[in-house]
Amino acid sequence: MSFPITRMRRLRKSAGIRKMLQTNHVLPENLIYPVFVTMGKNKKNPIPSMPGIYQFSLDLVREEIEKVVKAGIQAVILFGIPASKDAQGTGAYSSEGIIQQAVYVIKQEFPELVVITDVCLCEYTDHGHCGVVKDGIILNDPTLELLAQTALSHVQAGADIVAPSDMMDGRVGAIRQALDKAGFSETAIMAYSAKYASAFYGPFRDAAGSAPQFGDRKTYQMDTKASWQQALLETALDVEEGADMVMVKPALAYLDIISRVKEEFLCPVVSYNVSGEYAMIKAAAEKGWLDEKQTVLEMMTGLKRAGSDLIITYHALDVAKWLKEENF
Ligand code: PBG
């Protein structure tokens, strides 16, 4: 197999031939759109580090969700900004909490939309950590009960899928058990399985007001220099504990992990194209340094090819629109 017998350019000769050979297609139904909801009325607060993304109060979120549904996107993942925070993150599992209310309101109006909820404490704790803190330590086991309560309250409000993002050991099992016990054995868990202690979450923490007030998340989220085997072990544990889908997060710096997870596991693989990845593209596009549409579509294709069945992305509405516009 060598030149001049083989010429790769023969199969790139025309748009028609190239199109025939395309095997990686992103569809609107592969996308999950993150939505930030906040207490209060008539609020559409822009997030400076994430142009185009807002925190919506529940009276205004409807309009945004309508766009999602019209775009052919099947699912949203909800993040909440509570009215107040405390050490135990009570707002996360209160039946009157922001997510519980948001799920109820959205499902009333859009019963067919798949509503996924992020299950974590960091947006609700005054210290900003994803678990219960004692003497500066993030405690694992006492956190499990609160996460399970949080997940259950989301499901009771009508959530279709819960997505634990905290990275405590044993949380998937604890949530599965709590859901089963309450009669929700048919509700799926999308586990943030290989979630790294990444610098790419910066803009999200502005959006959700969830930056840790001391230290960092390195004692629970994965080390960015850890072996790929560790990512597979995290994923295997989640699957064993009852995860129905597994996630790799962030996406772009961890394409190898997405690919390995896809090869190793039979369940659907989700990748999270996170806030910092979004901000990079937006900033460069604003300066006229990159073609936003083409770079984003290329990125989505790459995530798909690496093995993502589903992609959580802040670009979702734009991507769905672009896919319709042009036969990409
Ligand atoms: C909550 C959570 C975070 C993200 C999703 N769920 C922040 C974090 O772990 O600090 C990040 C999402 C993004 O950056 O887009 N634990």
Side-chain angles (χ1 to χ4, degrees), residues 34 36 50 77 79 118-123 128-130 163-167 192 195-205 208 210-212 217 220-221 247 249-250 272-278 312 314:
F36 295 96
M50 302 177 73
I77 180 162
F79 296 95
D118 182 85
V119 173
C120 199
L121 298 184
C122 63
E123 291 124 273
H129 278 288
C130 307
S165 68
D166 53 284
M167 290 300 277
Y192 287 69
K195 175 172 175 178
Y196 289 83
S198 168
F200 284 99
Y201 308 150
F204 174 92
R205 292 176 189 169
S210 63
R217 304 210 199 287
Y220 43 107
Q221 298 181 346
M247 195 196 299
K249 177 183 174 203
Y272 197 143
N273 177 220
V274 299
S275 57
E277 298 170 334
Y278 176 82
I312 303 177
Y314 303 95

Side-chain angles (χ1 to χ4, degrees), residues 245-258:
M245 301 189 222
V246 294
M247 195 196 299
V248 176
K249 177 183 174 203
L252 298 180
Y254 301 91
L255 288 173
D256 58 322
I257 303 298
I258 296 172

Side-chain angles (χ1 to χ4, degrees), residues 49-69:
S49 50
M50 302 177 73
I53 303 295
Y54 302 83
Q55 299 171 341
F56 291 97
S57 55
L58 298 183
D59 52 333
L60 297 190
V61 77
R62 193 182 167 283
E63 220 175 289
E64 186 78 350
I65 303 280
E66 191 135 28
K67 289 186 204 159
V68 173
V69 172

Side-chain angles (χ1 to χ4, degrees), residues 15-17 23 32 82 85 93 173 226 234 238 253 282 310 328:
I17 297 179
T23 55
I32 300 170
K85 307 185 185 220
Y93 38 89
E234 279 283 4
D238 284 356
K282 284 288 187 186
L310 299 170
F328 175 68

Side-chain angles (χ1 to χ4, degrees), residues 31-45:
L31 306 172
I32 300 170
Y33 188 56
V35 176
F36 295 96
V37 284
T38 188
M39 289 288 198
K41 272 204 163 55
N42 203 26
K43 284 193 187 151
K44 185 180 176 184
N45 305 330

